[in-house]
Amino acid sequence: MAFAGKVWKLLVGIKDGLSLVFLLLFFALLYGILTARPSPAQVRDGALLLDLNGYVVEEKTEIDPLEVLLSGQEPVGEYQARDLVHALEEAATDERIKAVVLDLSEFGGGGQVHMQAIGAALDRVRAAEKPVLTYALAYSDDAVMLAAHASEVWVDPLGGAIIAGPGGSRLYYGDLLDKLKINARVYKVGTYKSAVEPYSRNSMSPEARENYSALYGSLWEEWQANVKKARPQIDLDLITKTPAQWVQDNKGDLSKAALEAGLVDKLGNRVEFGERVAEIVGEDDWNPGRGSYAHTELDPWLADKTLSKDGDAIGVVTIAGEIVDGDAGPGTAGGERIAELLDEALDDDLKALVVRVDSPGGSVTASEDIRLAILRHKAKDIPIVVSMGNVAASGGYWVSTPADRIFAEPETVTGSIGIFAVVPTFERAAADLGVNGDGVRTTPLSGQPDLISGFTPEVDAILQSSIEDGYTDFITRVAKSRNLTTQQVDAIGQGRVWDGGTARQIGLVDQYGGIDEALEWAAKQADLEDGAWHVAYLGSQPGEYNTLLRRLLGGDSNAAGPGGDLFAMVAGQQRAIVGQVENDLDRILSVRGMQVYCLECPTAPVRASQSAAPKGWLAKAAALFAS
């Protein structure tokens, strides 16, 4: 029996050892897969295929695998604007690339500034005498703006194109909250600070209407000017002023209507489009099916075209998405995370720092954390430059105040210099349910803030005074940065939102230009010669693990896209409305503390959950409510 026991223990030991070995091999294999990079060996002669199944963004979000699995939805595809511009610039000069193909069938857009930058890169491809071809089932505003730069625009005969223009309606909950007997206590400074209006009104205020009529009018004029310049044959008046008549005259055939108006050049399905591309670049030896053509996809192309690391470094930090407290992001601007990135780079001997902002703002405390971290770089006596993307408003402008120079595009949305907070209390609803608060106070602040029994007048006064002090801090920072008086900043502040062209006229922006112009200016100020410097992005490159997850979870198409025909677009708008309601409710119920946020600023759809912990005295209400 003793011998049998020893044999049994030996067998168990062997089994455990083999299990450990196989487990280690499994994790080694998994690590190898997750760290696999796109291979430059996949680059071949033919077309550069940009299959944009999703959105163009300033910065990709990190994927949470657990969140994706629980939601049961594929992650939406994301493509960094700078990656697309870099890919196109390299394609213009590489002999292996004979043409560029954009598949926009599931393209969701990305904002006018990004579309303009990519469109300019497409123009450089065409200037190199290489054709650019686009294909889609249905074109919407941003897709039309990109396709306008193509030499051939194709649309499926079952599809079409619709131009909506900027603007639209948003939801107002004032009457609903009144019926539910919820008091939305609003504290704000700024006549035009409309972010709080959905919780206190049932419609847009005259001041907000005036502001956004001017803003959207300017954006619309810029959009039309860009499209007409790139595609003179397009009849925008026909498409946008009498859209119903335009479609009816073509008996409801949207594809023929698009062809008639000059939106597209040819009607054809995907196979016919592929055969046309194959005539230019050659057939696909790897996939000889109908409609196939020789091509290289984006990831291996970028792997083959890595950025130079020669010379001195100019740092670029990206502030993209809502600014929140904590370490959220990338894709969301977690104040703690971005401040840490900047502090870690203090020892990197950067010759200049470019702050790329594409954010509607958010938390005051997070914005201040980022601003102070930028100032620590400025204390090293290096040039600080801000490059604004689609949106750099409210908190997005707060973090821009340390800049020596601010670059923006005419389509950039900026300003919104104002501040607010919203705190819900439930004393009326509680009273209806027979719940009343009573007790003994030693001071007016005893037991406050009380979300169930309501706030005392003293608490209301303190909160409003705190907001007013925050606004004073805001305009003081802007005044010092822009060499203006606080009275001048107050006159252009008050929560008013400006387009980039007007912002330059009133002194909020120094110069037109994108990130390339900002980098060149920074290099010149740092006395760096051409070719003697390179760009160092601070912690914003998604890891190989994240890239692979996007591929695995998104299938062969890289990710789920928002595209489809006209009715699919309508369905997408319905989903966007549901998302808006969810975000609005979260904003009032989470009580995020003082906010410098532009609610009406046009931004990309929310693509990731945001984890943030509100700070400061105002946030105590949230802690009490959560408990």
Side-chain angles (χ1 to χ4, degrees), residues 346-381:
L346 285 171
D347 297 326
D348 289 349
D349 193 28
L350 300 178
K351 300 304 180 183
L353 177 67
V354 174
V355 183
R356 177 66 172 178
V357 183
D358 195 20
S359 170
S363 162
V364 169
T365 52
S367 300
E368 180 66 0
D369 286 344
I370 296 171
R371 186 188 77 91
L372 292 174
I374 295 171
L375 285 175
R376 288 192 281 275
H377 280 268
K378 192 167 188 175
K380 297 181 66 178
D381 198 28

Side-chain angles (χ1 to χ4, degrees), residues 312 314 351-352 381-383 519-530 532-533:
D312 293 312
I314 296 179
K351 300 304 180 183
D381 198 28
I382 63 172
L519 286 165
E520 289 169 4
W521 190 89
K524 184 176 180 181
Q525 295 302 117
D527 295 324
L528 301 177
E529 297 181 358
D530 291 344
W533 55 274

Side-chain angles (χ1 to χ4, degrees), residues 206-431:
E207 294 83 4
R209 189 175 302 279
E210 171 200 342
N211 188 189
Y212 288 101
S213 294
L215 173 67
Y216 290 141
S218 296
L219 294 178
W220 179 228
E221 288 179 5
E222 289 291 338
W223 189 94
Q224 293 181 90
N226 286 330
V227 171
K228 286 180 179 178
K229 181 180 178 181
R231 194 171 181 83
Q233 68 267 37
I234 194 171
D235 191 345
L236 282 178
D237 287 342
L238 173 67
I239 299 165
T240 61
K241 293 183 178 179
T242 57
Q245 188 63 48
W246 165 56
V247 174
Q248 289 169 2
D249 288 346
N250 286 275
K251 299 180 180 180
D253 191 327
L254 287 172
S255 62
K256 288 184 179 178
L259 185 64
E260 176 205 3
L263 276 169
V264 303
D265 299 307
K266 295 184 179 181
L267 308 184
N269 58 36
R270 187 177 294 278
V271 170
E272 292 168 331
F273 174 75
E275 290 173 345
R276 167 60 180 150
V277 177
E279 292 177 2
I280 300 171
V281 304
E283 297 182 355
D284 188 355
D285 295 332
W286 295 4
N287 179 20
R290 290 189 62 208
S292 63
Y293 51 89
H295 66 271
T296 297
E297 295 184 352
L298 178 62
D299 286 343
W301 181 249
L302 290 174
D304 188 61
K305 298 293 182 179
T306 55
L307 293 171
S308 170
K309 299 296 181 183
D310 296 333
D312 293 312
I314 296 179
V316 176
V317 64
T318 302
I319 303 170
E322 184 175 353
I323 300 174
V324 300
D325 296 299
D327 62 355
T332 300
E336 181 181 327
R337 176 182 63 85
I338 294 173
E340 286 180 358
L341 287 176
L342 287 163
D343 286 345
E344 288 170 0
L346 285 171
D347 297 326
D348 289 349
D349 193 28
L350 300 178
K351 300 304 180 183
L353 177 67
V354 174
V355 183
R356 177 66 172 178
V357 183
D358 195 20
S359 170
S363 162
V364 169
T365 52
S367 300
E368 180 66 0
D369 286 344
I370 296 171
R371 186 188 77 91
L372 292 174
I374 295 171
L375 285 175
R376 288 192 281 275
H377 280 268
K378 192 167 188 175
K380 297 181 66 178
D381 198 28
I382 63 172
I384 306 294
V385 188
V386 164
S387 169
M388 294 179 169
N390 288 307
V391 180
S394 221
Y397 200 88
W398 184 298
V399 300
S400 301
T401 54
D404 298 312
R405 197 160 189 83
I406 295 178
F407 286 77
E409 299 288 3
E411 300 90 343
T412 298
V413 177
T414 188
S416 192
I417 299 169
I419 189 169
F420 72 92
V422 183
V423 181
T425 59
F426 304 90
E427 59 270 28
R428 289 190 299 152

Side-chain angles (χ1 to χ4, degrees), residues 130-150:
K130 297 182 180 184
V132 176
L133 300 92
T134 69
Y135 172 84
L137 179 61
Y139 290 92
S140 58
D141 293 27
D142 282 357
V144 168
M145 193 171 178
L146 280 188
H149 295 269

Side-chain angles (χ1 to χ4, degrees), residues 1 6 106 129 271 321 380 508 535 543:
M1 292 296 294
K6 291 180 180 179
E106 296 187 41
E129 299 183 352
V271 170
K380 297 181 66 178
L508 292 178
V535 180

